[in-house]
Amino acid sequence: MREEPTSLLEVKGLTVERPEEMGERGIGLRNVSLSLGRDEILVLAGETGCGKSALVRMVVGLPGPGVRALDGEILFDGRDLLKLRSRDRRKLRRGEIAAVGRGVHEQFNPERTVRRWLREAVRLSGNRELDDEKKWSDFFYRVGIVEPERILKRTMGDLSSLVVQRLMLMRALIGKARLIVCDEATAGLDRIAERQFIELLSRIRGEEQVAVLLTTGSLRGVDRYADRVAVFYEGGILEAGPSHRILDNPTYAYTREFFLCAPRITHLPRELATISREASREAEEVVHRRASPIQAPEDVAS
């Protein structure tokens, strides 16, 4: 009998190459290692282009044109996702690994009704028990949609971003997901909607015992829901650990200054904090040193 891995998701020494301008190629991820428990929320935080979204795209099997792994493993329940056939990766995305992305309206035909979209989601999940629409009601209520009979007739393009995100989580429940990957899922939401989505995601994590991998461009408030945080810089992990430790006592100046860059309602434009050259230079040196093949990588995700 196969021994069940301690973590649901393990990334080990992942280095990824990506296409750049003028036909050149560069490094998108540098020797990234982290783990995610079976009912844990892990937040990947960093600036635009830091590599956090590149990692989650590798996890869900949609790396993008010309992107390829040079080294490392992505283990999901002990299986190396990088070695699976395309057919098996698609099967995982329809069931055990659910993705909730940014710009969700761009992912759908705006003229398609919610009923048609859900029928397709049920078909792809293989959950034959839900062929009967009458059995959908419980899933609607679990994601906070209290009038399902009204929403079924509406088109996807007629829904608010928060409702679409609720439907994406409903699709995850239909597929019996064990891992929900959220790439900047709150980017298009206002503060109130963002909080509602995070509260719903946290509740689903607790009730369904699923793991959550979530990316964000701000550290503000993540200690309210995240178990652990990994701070990305230039394709590598600068530091990682329990969320309260990372926010209250960060190892590097970059993490502290990145946290302060999150705008508050009371801020005027001239009051917005910036990251100093010294902090960025230190972060760059640390990440590139860890990525060197000469030196064994530090266990920054412990």
Side-chain angles (χ1 to χ4, degrees), residues 28-244:
L29 292 172
R30 306 174 187 275
N31 196 24
V32 170
S33 295
L34 54 80
S35 63
L36 175 62
R38 295 177 180 275
D39 60 349
E40 184 178 47
I41 296 180
L42 171 60
V43 169
L44 312 180
E47 299 176 83
T48 300
C50 68
K52 59 187 187 296
S53 293
L55 175 58
V56 299
R57 286 196 294 267
M58 294 296 294
V59 171
V60 300
L62 297 170
V67 177
R68 63 189 182 99
L70 299 179
D71 195 15
E73 299 175 312
I74 303 176
L75 303 178
F76 177 73
D77 202 22
R79 295 169 287 176
D80 190 350
L81 298 179
L82 298 178
K83 295 180 179 179
L84 292 182
R85 295 175 297 180
S86 297
R87 180 179 62 184
D88 295 327
R89 294 303 303 269
R90 287 195 298 270
K91 184 177 180 181
L92 279 176
R93 286 197 300 272
R94 295 168 180 173
E96 293 182 81
I97 300 178
V100 181
R102 73 188 101 185
V104 289
H105 280 93
E106 300 172 4
Q107 303 176 43
F108 310 104
N109 178 347
E111 300 303 319
R112 175 173 287 191
T113 65
V114 173
R115 174 178 278 108
R116 286 184 59 192
W117 180 79
L118 280 174
R119 281 200 171 280
E120 182 70 3
V122 169
R123 184 185 68 80
L124 292 175
S125 74
N127 192 345
R128 301 300 300 274
E129 297 176 0
L130 296 178
D131 287 345
D132 184 354
E133 288 186 20
K134 295 179 181 178
K135 296 183 179 180
W136 295 356
S137 297
D138 180 58
F139 288 91
F140 277 113
Y141 294 134
R142 284 157 70 182
V143 298
I145 298 176
V146 296
E147 295 184 319
E149 64 283 348
R150 293 182 58 184
I151 201 171
L152 285 171
K153 302 176 183 178
R154 298 176 65 180
T155 62
M156 299 299 290
D158 189 39
L159 303 176
S160 70
S161 295
L162 179 58
V163 172
V164 173
Q165 296 291 44
R166 291 183 189 275
L167 288 172
M168 294 294 288
L169 292 179
M170 179 176 170
R171 185 174 70 174
L173 295 178
I174 288 173
K176 301 180 180 179
R178 302 170 63 199
L179 169 63
I180 299 177
V181 180
C182 299
D183 186 18
E184 300 281 4
T186 62
L189 305 179
D190 60 38
R191 291 291 181 86
I192 296 176
E194 177 182 355
R195 177 173 296 182
Q196 290 176 338
F197 175 78
I198 291 298
E199 288 175 352
L200 173 60
L201 190 64
S202 299
R203 179 166 59 80
I204 288 174
R205 183 276 296 262
E207 294 176 353
E208 306 296 330
Q209 298 294 292
V210 299
V212 176
L213 186 63
L214 184 146
T215 70
T216 180
S218 171
L219 282 171
R220 187 77 68 185
V222 301
D223 56 316
R224 294 196 298 266
Y225 60 90
D227 298 298
R228 289 188 298 122
V229 173
V231 179
F232 273 66
Y233 186 84
E234 289 198 353
I237 297 179
L238 176 62
E239 61 178 312
S243 59
H244 287 283

